[in-house]
Amino acid sequence: MTAEEFIKLRDFIYRKTGIYFEEQKMYYVKNRVESRMEATGYENFRSYFTWLRFDVTGQELQQLLNALTINETYFFREYYQLKCFAEEVLPEILERKRKENSRKIRIWSAGCSTGEEPYTLAIIMKEMLEDVDDIDWEIYATDINTEVLQKAERGLYSQRAVRLVPEEYKKRYLYKKGDFYEVIPDLKEKIIFFQLNLMDAVEMRKMRNFDVIFCRNVLIYFDDASRRQVAIYFYEALVEGGYIFLGHSESMSRITPIFKLRKFKNAFVYQK
């Protein structure tokens, strides 16, 4: 794949997904494209790219996106943010729900990868609301990568993925399966996994009435224009006063001024 061909492919993926690969990612993209060409029997980039563009099923584009968007994650990642959510943000949400006479809390893990984040959030909700009977909650977990979603739904994890899970939580929410740990059914049933392209205007407009959105280390793969558009979708998806958590190196203030920055004891959080 030449530099010119890389740019053609990069721009095509960007138009479809908002994901933007810088020039320094060319080698990374090239290796994964060549793997897909080998798997599909195409010997040159031109013919493969033509097929990719005009494949009405969209299946090959999805396979290529799966190859390009695999990210390692683990339970209880960026713990200080989770502590902020559990001990500071969640009590505010509960207080507001009672004032509004509402029983439902909705959480969205956007870019959930193989599921460690939404399962972590489910553990937190189970623990924090153990003695709260008048609140129901659910977690929506989305990703553009269909392969990681399949792994997430299975809920089977290596020792490395669960290394930061406190022992009492391991005993309560995971059970040993050979060299792996599997999430208990009670936790799985609280999470709805499905595929979603954050730049799909039609599907994103269906995402509404969320109290909290976690979108950590996802927008780093977008350019400024796409980040702004996704931020607007998130704003519209949140209830009034809803919260959004970004990755530790990400800043919503650099993307758009529509969110208010809240300084909690444990973390900075953006609020509608």
Side-chain angles (χ1 to χ4, degrees), residues 22-35:
E22 302 281 356
E23 277 73 9
Q24 59 263 34
K25 287 280 190 178
M26 178 176 164
Y27 184 73
Y28 169 84
V29 173
K30 178 176 180 288
N31 283 343
R32 280 147 184 80
V33 168
E34 287 177 353
S35 294

Side-chain angles (χ1 to χ4, degrees), residues 47-63:
S47 57
Y48 172 75
F49 185 55
T50 300
W51 177 54
L52 186 70
R53 287 174 59 207
F54 296 104
D55 173 23
V56 293
T57 69
Q59 291 180 0
E60 180 53 29
L61 176 59
Q62 185 61 62
Q63 290 296 321

Side-chain angles (χ1 to χ4, degrees), residues 4-5 11 15 18 22 35 42 76 96-97 110 112 117 124 152 160 218 237 249 252 256 259 265 272:
E4 184 181 350
E5 289 169 339
D11 292 349
R15 288 194 301 273
E22 302 281 356
S35 294
Y42 283 90
F76 287 88
R96 186 167 68 245
K97 292 294 177 183
C112 69
E117 179 178 85
I124 290 170
R160 178 176 171 78
V218 175
S249 64
M252 187 64 78
T256 174
F259 289 93
K265 183 171 66 177
K272 178 172 176 177

Side-chain angles (χ1 to χ4, degrees), residues 132-147:
V132 180
D133 298 324
D134 61 338
I135 292 290
D136 188 23
W137 56 273
E138 59 189 0
I139 297 173
Y140 287 71
T142 68
D143 204 283
I144 198 170
N145 186 320
T146 54
E147 287 183 2

